[in-house]
Amino acid sequence: MISKIIVHSRTTEINGVCTRIINAYENYNNKRDVHLRSIIIKLKSIASTLSDVVELLNGDSLLEDKDLFRDNAIRDFYYLIQGFLYHPQKNTRNAAGIILDIFNRHGLGIFTKSYGVKTSIINAILMELSKPEFIIYEILLSGVVDAINKIKKTQSDFESSYLNIDKDKLLGFNFESASSLNKKAIKIINGRLVPYLNGMVSVDKENYEEFAKIIDKIIIDNNTKLNLEVKYSTVNEIIFE
Protein backbone atom coordinates (compact mmCIF):
# COMPACT_ATOMS: atom_id res chain seq x y z
CA MET A 1 0.00 0.00 0.00
CA ILE A 2 1.26 3.47 -0.89
CA SER A 3 1.70 5.84 2.03
CA LYS A 4 -0.16 9.14 2.21
CA ILE A 5 1.71 12.41 2.44
CA ILE A 6 1.70 14.13 5.86
CA VAL A 7 -0.88 16.90 5.64
CA HIS A 8 1.21 19.53 7.47
CA SER A 9 4.06 19.36 4.96
CA ARG A 10 5.38 22.81 4.03
CA THR A 11 5.00 24.51 0.67
CA THR A 12 8.56 23.73 -0.40
CA GLU A 13 8.09 20.07 0.57
CA ILE A 14 4.77 19.73 -1.24
CA ASN A 15 6.32 21.39 -4.29
CA GLY A 16 9.23 18.93 -4.17
CA VAL A 17 6.93 15.92 -3.87
CA CYS A 18 4.77 17.12 -6.78
CA THR A 19 7.84 17.66 -8.95
CA ARG A 20 9.22 14.21 -8.21
CA ILE A 21 5.85 12.54 -8.85
CA ILE A 22 5.49 14.35 -12.19
CA ASN A 23 9.05 13.42 -13.21
CA ALA A 24 8.38 9.79 -12.25
CA TYR A 25 5.26 9.79 -14.41
CA GLU A 26 7.19 11.24 -17.37
CA ASN A 27 9.50 8.22 -17.16
CA TYR A 28 6.60 5.79 -16.66
CA ASN A 29 6.06 3.37 -19.52
CA ASN A 30 2.29 2.99 -19.14
CA LYS A 31 0.89 6.24 -20.58
CA ARG A 32 -2.30 4.64 -21.91
CA ASP A 33 -4.12 5.06 -18.61
CA VAL A 34 -6.36 8.09 -19.28
CA HIS A 35 -7.52 8.40 -15.68
CA LEU A 36 -3.97 8.40 -14.30
CA ARG A 37 -2.96 10.96 -16.90
CA SER A 38 -5.83 13.25 -15.86
CA ILE A 39 -4.66 13.08 -12.23
CA ILE A 40 -1.10 14.01 -13.20
CA ILE A 41 -2.29 16.86 -15.45
CA LYS A 42 -4.23 18.34 -12.52
CA LEU A 43 -1.20 17.93 -10.27
CA LYS A 44 1.01 19.61 -12.89
CA SER A 45 -1.25 22.64 -12.96
CA ILE A 46 -1.02 23.11 -9.19
CA ALA A 47 2.72 22.30 -9.11
CA SER A 48 3.42 24.99 -11.69
CA THR A 49 1.84 27.66 -9.50
CA LEU A 50 3.48 26.20 -6.39
CA SER A 51 6.90 26.49 -8.05
CA ASP A 52 6.26 30.19 -8.71
CA VAL A 53 5.15 30.69 -5.11
CA VAL A 54 8.28 28.93 -3.79
CA GLU A 55 10.45 31.10 -6.04
CA LEU A 56 8.76 34.22 -4.70
CA LEU A 57 9.05 33.02 -1.10
CA ASN A 58 12.76 32.36 -1.67
CA GLY A 59 13.06 35.89 -3.05
CA ASP A 60 11.43 37.32 0.06
CA SER A 61 13.77 35.26 2.22
CA LEU A 62 16.76 36.61 0.28
CA LEU A 63 15.42 40.12 0.79
CA GLU A 64 15.26 39.57 4.56
CA ASP A 65 18.91 38.48 4.54
CA LYS A 66 20.00 41.53 2.57
CA ASP A 67 18.00 43.79 4.87
CA LEU A 68 19.78 42.23 7.85
CA PHE A 69 23.17 42.89 6.20
CA ARG A 70 22.42 46.59 5.78
CA ASP A 71 21.03 46.79 9.34
CA ASN A 72 24.31 45.38 10.61
CA ALA A 73 26.29 47.82 8.47
CA ILE A 74 24.33 50.76 9.91
CA ARG A 75 24.80 49.53 13.48
CA ASP A 76 28.55 49.10 12.89
CA PHE A 77 28.71 52.69 11.63
CA TYR A 78 26.67 54.00 14.57
CA TYR A 79 28.72 52.26 17.25
CA LEU A 80 31.99 53.28 15.57
CA ILE A 81 30.94 56.93 15.71
CA GLN A 82 29.75 56.52 19.29
CA GLY A 83 33.21 55.26 20.25
CA PHE A 84 34.88 58.36 18.81
CA LEU A 85 32.81 60.54 21.15
CA TYR A 86 35.13 59.35 23.95
CA HIS A 87 38.36 59.95 22.04
CA PRO A 88 41.02 61.91 24.00
CA GLN A 89 41.48 64.44 21.16
CA LYS A 90 38.87 67.19 21.06
CA ASN A 91 38.95 67.52 17.23
CA THR A 92 38.11 63.84 16.90
CA ARG A 93 35.26 64.10 19.42
CA ASN A 94 33.86 67.15 17.63
CA ALA A 95 34.04 65.43 14.23
CA ALA A 96 32.24 62.40 15.66
CA GLY A 97 29.51 64.63 17.10
CA ILE A 98 28.93 66.31 13.74
CA ILE A 99 28.65 62.99 11.89
CA LEU A 100 26.51 61.44 14.59
CA ASP A 101 24.14 64.41 14.46
CA ILE A 102 23.34 63.54 10.83
CA PHE A 103 22.41 60.03 11.84
CA ASN A 104 20.44 61.09 14.92
CA ARG A 105 18.21 63.36 12.89
CA HIS A 106 16.79 60.19 11.31
CA GLY A 107 17.07 58.05 14.44
CA LEU A 108 17.67 54.41 15.24
CA GLY A 109 13.94 53.91 14.72
CA ILE A 110 14.69 53.19 11.06
CA PHE A 111 15.18 49.53 12.00
CA THR A 112 11.45 49.19 12.66
CA LYS A 113 10.39 50.82 9.38
CA SER A 114 9.09 49.05 6.28
CA TYR A 115 11.54 48.11 3.55
CA GLY A 116 10.55 51.07 1.37
CA VAL A 117 10.64 53.70 4.15
CA LYS A 118 13.93 52.39 5.53
CA THR A 119 15.47 52.48 2.05
CA SER A 120 14.46 56.13 1.61
CA ILE A 121 15.85 57.10 5.02
CA ILE A 122 19.18 55.36 4.40
CA ASN A 123 19.51 57.07 1.02
CA ALA A 124 18.84 60.42 2.71
CA ILE A 125 21.56 59.73 5.31
CA LEU A 126 24.05 58.67 2.61
CA MET A 127 23.26 61.75 0.53
CA GLU A 128 23.91 64.03 3.49
CA LEU A 129 27.12 62.23 4.41
CA SER A 130 28.37 62.70 0.84
CA LYS A 131 28.24 66.52 1.10
CA PRO A 132 31.72 68.11 0.81
CA GLU A 133 31.47 69.86 4.19
CA PHE A 134 31.19 66.52 6.00
CA ILE A 135 33.76 64.47 4.08
CA ILE A 136 36.70 66.06 5.94
CA TYR A 137 35.25 64.88 9.26
CA GLU A 138 34.72 61.38 7.91
CA ILE A 139 38.35 61.18 6.77
CA LEU A 140 39.50 62.37 10.19
CA LEU A 141 37.69 59.45 11.87
CA SER A 142 39.61 56.27 11.07
CA GLY A 143 37.40 53.54 9.60
CA VAL A 144 34.35 55.74 9.07
CA VAL A 145 34.79 56.01 5.29
CA ASP A 146 34.96 52.21 5.08
CA ALA A 147 31.87 51.92 7.29
CA ILE A 148 29.95 54.31 5.02
CA ASN A 149 31.05 52.37 1.94
CA LYS A 150 29.76 49.18 3.56
CA ILE A 151 26.37 50.81 4.09
CA LYS A 152 26.36 51.91 0.43
CA LYS A 153 27.14 48.39 -0.76
CA THR A 154 24.55 46.66 1.40
CA GLN A 155 21.99 49.31 0.45
CA SER A 156 22.73 48.81 -3.25
CA ASP A 157 22.47 45.00 -2.89
CA PHE A 158 19.14 45.34 -1.11
CA GLU A 159 17.71 47.78 -3.65
CA SER A 160 18.62 45.48 -6.55
CA SER A 161 16.81 42.53 -4.96
CA TYR A 162 13.89 44.70 -3.87
CA LEU A 163 13.35 46.00 -7.39
CA ASN A 164 13.54 42.52 -8.90
CA ILE A 165 10.95 41.11 -6.50
CA ASP A 166 8.70 44.14 -6.99
CA LYS A 167 8.96 43.67 -10.74
CA ASP A 168 7.84 40.04 -10.43
CA LYS A 169 4.83 41.06 -8.37
CA LEU A 170 3.92 43.78 -10.84
CA LEU A 171 4.05 41.28 -13.70
CA GLY A 172 0.94 39.66 -12.31
CA PHE A 173 1.79 37.09 -9.68
CA ASN A 174 -1.75 36.83 -8.33
CA PHE A 175 -1.22 33.63 -6.44
CA GLU A 176 -3.59 31.68 -4.32
CA SER A 177 -2.30 31.38 -0.80
CA ALA A 178 0.40 28.75 -0.28
CA SER A 179 -1.88 27.06 2.26
CA SER A 180 -4.71 26.74 -0.28
CA LEU A 181 -2.38 25.31 -2.93
CA ASN A 182 -0.90 22.85 -0.43
CA LYS A 183 -4.35 21.57 0.44
CA LYS A 184 -5.26 21.11 -3.23
CA ALA A 185 -2.03 19.23 -3.99
CA ILE A 186 -2.44 17.01 -0.93
CA LYS A 187 -6.06 16.33 -1.85
CA ILE A 188 -4.98 15.12 -5.31
CA ILE A 189 -2.12 13.01 -3.96
CA ASN A 190 -3.88 11.50 -0.93
CA GLY A 191 -7.42 11.56 -2.26
CA ARG A 192 -6.95 10.54 -5.90
CA LEU A 193 -3.46 9.35 -6.84
CA VAL A 194 -2.69 7.09 -3.87
CA PRO A 195 -6.11 5.33 -3.73
CA TYR A 196 -6.13 4.87 -7.51
CA LEU A 197 -2.65 3.33 -7.66
CA ASN A 198 -3.38 1.11 -4.66
CA GLY A 199 -6.46 -0.16 -6.46
CA MET A 200 -4.71 -0.67 -9.80
CA VAL A 201 -1.82 -2.58 -8.20
CA SER A 202 -4.33 -5.06 -6.79
CA VAL A 203 -5.87 -5.72 -10.25
CA ASP A 204 -2.89 -5.16 -12.58
CA LYS A 205 0.27 -5.63 -10.56
CA GLU A 206 2.51 -6.08 -13.59
CA ASN A 207 1.80 -2.64 -15.08
CA TYR A 208 1.40 -0.59 -11.92
CA GLU A 209 3.54 -2.02 -9.11
CA GLU A 210 6.87 -0.47 -10.13
CA PHE A 211 5.37 3.01 -10.55
CA ALA A 212 3.44 2.65 -7.27
CA LYS A 213 6.67 1.76 -5.42
CA ILE A 214 8.37 4.88 -6.80
CA ILE A 215 5.48 7.09 -5.67
CA ASP A 216 5.50 5.41 -2.26
CA LYS A 217 9.23 6.10 -1.86
CA ILE A 218 8.80 9.77 -2.82
CA ILE A 219 6.10 10.21 -0.18
CA ILE A 220 7.96 8.22 2.48
CA ASP A 221 11.12 10.29 1.88
CA ASN A 222 9.12 13.45 2.53
CA ASN A 223 7.33 12.06 5.60
CA THR A 224 10.54 10.67 7.11
CA LYS A 225 12.33 13.99 6.73
CA LEU A 226 9.41 15.84 8.28
CA ASN A 227 9.14 13.41 11.20
CA LEU A 228 12.87 13.72 11.89
CA GLU A 229 12.58 17.51 11.92
CA VAL A 230 9.66 17.35 14.37
CA LYS A 231 11.56 14.89 16.58
CA TYR A 232 14.70 17.06 16.54
CA SER A 233 12.65 20.17 17.32
CA THR A 234 10.97 18.41 20.27
CA VAL A 235 14.34 17.30 21.64
CA ASN A 236 15.67 20.86 21.39
CA GLU A 237 12.62 22.20 23.23
CA ILE A 238 13.30 19.77 26.07
CA ILE A 239 17.01 20.62 26.17
CA PHE A 240 16.59 24.39 26.10
CA GLU A 241 13.39 24.62 28.13
Side-chain angles (χ1 to χ4, degrees):
M1 295 287 288
I2 303 174
S3 306
K4 290 189 175 184
I5 190 167
I6 294 176
V7 294
H8 56 270
S9 298
R10 295 178 293 248
T11 302
T12 51
E13 292 158 351
I14 295 295
N15 181 57
V17 169
C18 289
T19 301
R20 290 181 66 190
I21 289 174
I22 292 164
N23 288 340
Y25 178 77
E26 295 299 333
N27 294 313
Y28 180 44
N29 291 327
N30 184 9
K31 298 285 179 58
R32 293 168 298 183
D33 187 327
V34 177
H35 185 66
L36 179 59
R37 185 165 69 246
S38 70
I39 294 173
I40 297 299
I41 288 172
K42 183 64 176 175
L43 195 63
K44 274 185 178 180
S45 175
I46 294 173
S48 175
T49 308
L50 265 178
S51 294
D52 288 337
V53 170
V54 168
E55 185 178 343
L56 193 58
L57 289 173
N58 287 339
D60 283 336
S61 177
L62 177 64
L63 203 60
E64 287 180 15
D65 290 341
K66 289 186 179 294
D67 184 49
L68 179 62
F69 291 149
R70 68 175 181 172
D71 281 355
N72 289 338
I74 292 166
R75 286 191 180 94
D76 290 346
F77 167 79
Y78 179 77
Y79 292 128
L80 178 62
I81 300 297
Q82 283 276 8
F84 280 119
L85 292 176
Y86 302 96
H87 197 277
Q89 293 185 6
K90 185 178 179 180
N91 287 345
T92 301
R93 293 198 303 273
N94 288 342
I98 291 169
I99 299 301
L100 191 62
D101 183 59
I102 296 172
F103 189 86
N104 284 338
R105 284 203 292 274
H106 301 280
L108 280 171
I110 64 172
F111 296 117
T112 63
K113 303 294 184 183
S114 66
Y115 286 157
V117 172
K118 187 192 294 186
T119 299
S120 298
I121 292 173
I122 294 172
N123 281 333
I125 292 173
L126 290 173
M127 186 175 296
E128 200 161 351
L129 289 172
S130 68
K131 291 179 179 178
E133 61 264 34
F134 297 123
I135 291 176
I136 185 66
Y137 299 117
E138 295 161 17
I139 294 173
L140 179 64
L141 304 173
S142 177
V144 168
V145 172
D146 289 339
I148 292 172
N149 286 336
K150 186 177 179 181
I151 295 174
K152 288 179 180 178
K153 183 182 184 309
T154 56
Q155 173 79 338
S156 176
D157 288 346
F158 176 87
E159 286 183 315
S160 295
S161 296
Y162 188 61
L163 287 172
N164 286 337
I165 290 175
D166 252 9
K167 188 191 304 178
D168 285 347
K169 289 178 179 176
L170 290 172
L171 284 174
F173 280 143
N174 297 316
F175 298 124
E176 297 176 69
S177 71
S179 175
S180 174
L181 289 166
N182 282 1
K183 288 176 182 177
K184 288 185 176 182
I186 291 169
K187 187 175 181 180
I188 292 172
I189 295 169
N190 287 351
R192 294 185 61 187
L193 180 64
V194 169
Y196 182 71
L197 287 177
N198 281 334
M200 293 309 296
V201 168
S202 66
V203 298
D204 191 356
K205 188 174 182 179
E206 182 180 349
N207 286 316
Y208 288 90
E209 185 179 40
E210 184 180 353
F211 182 63
K213 284 182 177 178
I214 293 171
I215 301 304
D216 188 44
K217 184 179 186 309
I218 292 170
I219 293 172
I220 287 175
D221 285 349
N222 174 78
N223 292 351
T224 302
K225 179 184 175 184
L226 194 58
N227 283 329
L228 285 173
E229 287 178 358
V230 171
K231 183 178 179 181
Y232 179 75
S233 175
T234 303
V235 169
N236 276 344
E237 286 175 5
I238 294 170
I239 293 172
F240 296 109
E241 196 171 42

